[in-house]
Amino acid sequence: MSQKQPDTVRDIMSRDCYRVSPEASVTTLAQGLALHRLPGAPVVDSADRLIGFISEQDVLGQVLDSVYNDGEAPLVKEMMRNEVLSVSPNKSITDLAQEMRGPKPKIYPVVEQNRLVGTVTRRDVLIALLKIRRH
């Protein structure tokens, strides 16, 4: 029995993805990103609707500042980006690969019917392309 060749983002996305609340502290977020080895995370409301995105780069300075000043870390909602590049689960892997060639995000939230259904990374796309190439 042969395995189905991946075609769309739905075939390769992580469904059980790390996400963060806008009310979380940046320190909590940084710990989650480090634990899950992610470059960033989608920010969702209580109904799992995508409302923002926050990356390691966005918080690095704040975490560094809190180390030196032993200060209170800000909340995610104070630092997140509201303009978020997201992708549909039905998007072609090769189309997404073309978009990811530039300085675009390394991780995209996958949104269906206004709800976060997963994430997809450059690594996921690269692995899928290698599988496609072998066939």
Side-chain angles (χ1 to χ4, degrees), residues 35-112:
L35 177 69
H36 296 284
R37 297 177 176 253
L38 292 169
V43 183
V44 296
D45 66 13
S46 59
D48 232 14
R49 286 186 298 262
L50 182 66
I51 59 170
F53 193 87
I54 191 159
S55 71
E56 289 173 317
Q57 186 176 10
D58 296 332
V59 302
L60 189 60
Q62 282 293 332
V63 172
L64 180 63
D65 196 42
S66 69
V67 166
Y68 282 121
N69 300 321
D70 200 28
E72 186 83 18
L75 299 179
V76 167
K77 69 182 175 184
E78 297 169 34
M79 300 193 66
M80 71 182 194
R81 282 177 267 138
N82 295 307
E83 300 282 323
V84 183
L85 289 175
S86 62
V87 65
S88 160
N90 299 319
K91 186 171 195 99
S92 149
I93 292 169
T94 54
D95 288 348
L96 181 57
Q98 287 292 339
E99 288 179 23
M100 287 181 147
R101 291 179 66 200
K104 302 278 187 204
K106 296 175 177 117
I107 180 171
Y108 278 75
V110 182
V111 176
E112 189 170 45

